[in-house]
Amino acid sequence: MDKIIIRGGNRLVGRVPISGAKNAALTLLPCALLTDEALTLRNLPRLADVDGFGHLLNGLGVSTTVEGARGSDFGRVMTLRAERLASTVAPYDMVRKMRASILVLGPLVAREGQATVSLPGGCAIGNRPIDLHLKALEALGAEIEFAAGYVKATAPAGGLVGGRIVFPVVSVGATENALMAASLAKGETVIDNAAREPEIADLARCLVAMGAEIDGIGTERLVIQGKPRLHGADYQVMADRIEAGSYACAAAITGGEIDLIGARPDDMTAILAGLRDAGVTVDVHDHGIRIAAEGPLQALTVSTAPFPAFPTDMQAQFMAMLTLAQGASVLTETIFENRYMHVPELGRMGADIQVRGRTAVVRGVDGLIGAEVMATDLRASMSLVLAGLAAKGETVVHRVYHLDRGYERLEEKLSAVGADIERASEG
Ligand code: UD1
């Protein structure tokens, strides 16, 4: 296992190319299950989770070929082909490692008439149920059974039928499963209170490229006219708004200036507004977004909520940044109940943070001090890297596999803008 060693204090200046979005990739990959033709995905990030999803699909009988030079800035190109499926089971070992495996459920039951997926169980950032995914499939006629830690969905004899899905809570994953399944169901499906995250619009656009008919893309009401079959497509994954936001925080916390090359400002409105409110200069240009921090950071009040509001996936990174702001910031996490695991670790670096229920009060301090730290989820790990970039002395971030799930070539991108960062083996 690897660790990351950071000697903090350098002002970061330069360009960071933004990779393809992890969360878009993880919902575009299962689209391959919806057709017997080839689906080519471009700009896929080189991440452990993308590899893991590829292996899950291979286990179901999907062939995958990868091209694209290692080290290139343009991501990977993967062609997936599910000519005939070998299995409709997503096993425990896969789902345990990667919760997004649940996204094979909708496509499998739509294409093959049945799917069996291990129940994801608990998760480091809270108890994340899948009831909404199952209710959506039931609305399309699927029957749901549970046995031995697995959930089995079975379509009626003639396949899934269009229906009305009203989500009581906004769920990204459940909206994705519903959208993929409805694209191959008979007749019209209406999804109300759909998640509006940009990754869902990316999924919808890919499905349209595969022959699906979807109205209301980017809104909370999606109307899908199901098709008897979908065809192959060639689709480019959107830029990662959370990766871009994380590097924006790296510029802010080091008083630096970073161009986020390829970042899409429209996907990042709440993140950019937060940065501006914190006193950071944000300029949109033809190639992306320039983030420049001069003068002290200001405290903020931020609450996470579904898109277009401030994303939960940026809460930990903003918290790291705000540990050095002037005044007291108030962060409220409304999406996941246990997403403050980075707080004690930031505390060990000298941050002053108090958590009460879903709210964290962050009182800005004069400086952070390097320490050995570790986190139990991806974005929490990034918050420790950010703190390390600004801290005095050496910070060692353990359990780097979390970062490898979501940040492509992290050390390389940060070194290129002047960070003193390296990866070493734990041994
Ligand atoms: C996705 C993202 C994750 C992000 C999250 C919220 C991927 C691979 N992951 O996760 O990075 O943090 O959206 O933006 O895209 N819920 C239920 N029942 C369900 C499903 C969800 O109660 O069946 C609840 C969850 O516990 C949570 C809320 O709904 O409180 C939102 O979760 P959801 O949007 O589904 O998150 P994911 O799709 O798992």
Side-chain angles (χ1 to χ4, degrees):
M1 210 183 289
D2 289 348
K3 58 186 174 185
I4 283 191
I5 303 164
I6 303 164
R7 283 164 286 270
N10 293 0
R11 183 172 177 260
L12 303 189
V13 179
R15 292 154 61 94
V16 175
I18 301 306
S19 297
K22 171 180 86 81
N23 285 353
L26 294 179
T27 187
L28 293 170
L29 288 163
C31 288
L33 294 167
L34 294 166
T35 173
D36 58 0
E37 295 183 19
L39 173 66
T40 297
L41 296 175
R42 298 180 187 276
N43 198 35
L44 276 174
R46 274 176 286 260
L47 296 173
D49 270 12
V50 170
D51 293 339
F53 213 107
H55 293 142
L56 168 63
L57 292 175
N58 291 149
L60 301 174
V62 181
S63 72
T64 49
T65 50
V66 177
E67 46 181 295
R70 253 193 91 77
S72 116
D73 280 349
F74 302 106
R76 265 189 331 192
V77 180
M78 189 187 279
T79 297
L80 304 104
R81 186 152 191 186
E83 204 165 353
R84 254 186 314 276
L85 292 177
S87 162
T88 55
V89 181
Y92 173 71
D93 211 37
M94 281 289 173
V95 183
R96 178 180 62 82
K97 281 192 246 158
M98 191 177 40
R99 221 192 102 82
S101 308
I102 190 70
L103 295 174
V104 301
L105 186 64
L108 279 178
V109 72
R111 164 107 179 257
E112 297 290 290
Q114 65 168 53
T116 307
V117 176
S118 171
L119 289 166
C123 157
I125 62 174
N127 166 38
R128 294 165 80 174
I130 58 161
D131 55 316
L132 301 172
H133 298 244
L134 304 180
K135 286 216 168 70
L137 294 178
E138 276 178 333
L140 304 182
E143 207 167 284
I144 306 291
E145 298 162 83
F146 296 94
Y150 280 76
V151 57
K152 183 174 180 190
T154 311
L160 294 177
V161 279
R164 176 118 197 279
I165 300 167
V166 185
F167 286 118
V169 174
V170 177
S171 162
V172 172
T175 303
E176 291 168 343
N177 249 330
L179 191 52
M180 289 186 280
S183 297
L184 271 190
K186 243 183 245 95
E188 181 177 277
T189 296
V190 178
I191 306 177
D192 272 318
N193 203 21
R196 285 184 283 162
E197 268 63 7
E199 292 77 13
I200 292 191
D202 216 36
L203 166 64
R205 282 190 216 101
C206 179
L207 290 169
V208 168
M210 295 172 71
E213 201 180 322
I214 303 168
D215 281 331
I217 295 176
T219 73
E220 60 190 22
R221 167 173 276 208
L222 296 167
V223 181
I224 303 109
Q225 310 299 334
K227 301 287 173 192
R229 62 187 303 274
L230 297 178
H231 52 72
D234 191 313
Y235 192 78
Q236 175 158 329
V237 182
M238 64 179 273
D240 196 317
R241 63 196 171 103
I242 305 300
E243 188 199 26
S246 302
Y247 287 111
C249 289
I253 200 170
T254 64
E257 191 171 332
I258 294 183
D259 276 308
L260 308 167
I261 304 300
R264 302 197 315 191
D266 291 350
D267 296 343
M268 298 176 62
T269 314
I271 299 170
L272 299 180
L275 288 163
R276 287 192 176 106
D277 289 348
V280 175
T281 305
V282 175
D283 286 317
V284 173
H285 54 71
D286 286 350
H287 305 290
I289 307 169
R290 174 168 300 161
I291 305 294
E294 286 156 27
L297 295 167
Q298 303 302 320
L300 291 182
T301 296
V302 181
S303 193
T304 67
F307 191 85
F310 189 87
T312 174
D313 285 351
M314 280 301 302
Q315 177 259 109
Q317 301 90 313
F318 259 56
M319 185 182 284
M321 174 180 86
L322 294 169
T323 61
L324 293 177
Q326 286 187 336
S329 297
V330 181
L331 299 182
T332 305
E333 173 57 60
T334 74
I335 308 284
F336 294 114
E337 70 269 27
N338 186 21
R339 211 170 187 181
Y340 283 134
M341 274 122 14
H342 42 289
V343 168
E345 297 298 283
L346 290 171
R348 296 178 56 246
M349 297 178 73
D352 179 353
I353 306 167
Q354 269 159 359
V355 175
R356 195 158 294 160
R358 295 192 160 217
T359 297
V361 176
V362 185
R363 290 190 175 78
V365 293
D366 290 337
L368 296 172
I369 305 145
E372 300 222 21
V373 288
M374 68 164 84
T376 44
D377 83 65
L378 166 61
R379 307 304 169 186
S381 300
M382 188 60 183
S383 79
L384 302 178
V385 169
L386 292 169
L389 290 170
K392 203 169 168 197
E394 188 172 280
T395 295
V396 181
V397 182
H398 297 280
R399 291 200 186 161
V400 170
Y401 59 87
H402 288 298
L403 290 164
D404 293 338
R405 287 186 42 224
Y407 289 94
E408 180 177 7
R409 295 180 290 135
L410 173 76
E411 315 90 89
E412 204 181 310
K413 290 188 185 188
L414 283 171
S415 302
V417 290
D420 184 345
I421 181 169
E422 64 182 317
R423 181 184 288 251
S425 149
E426 284 282 8

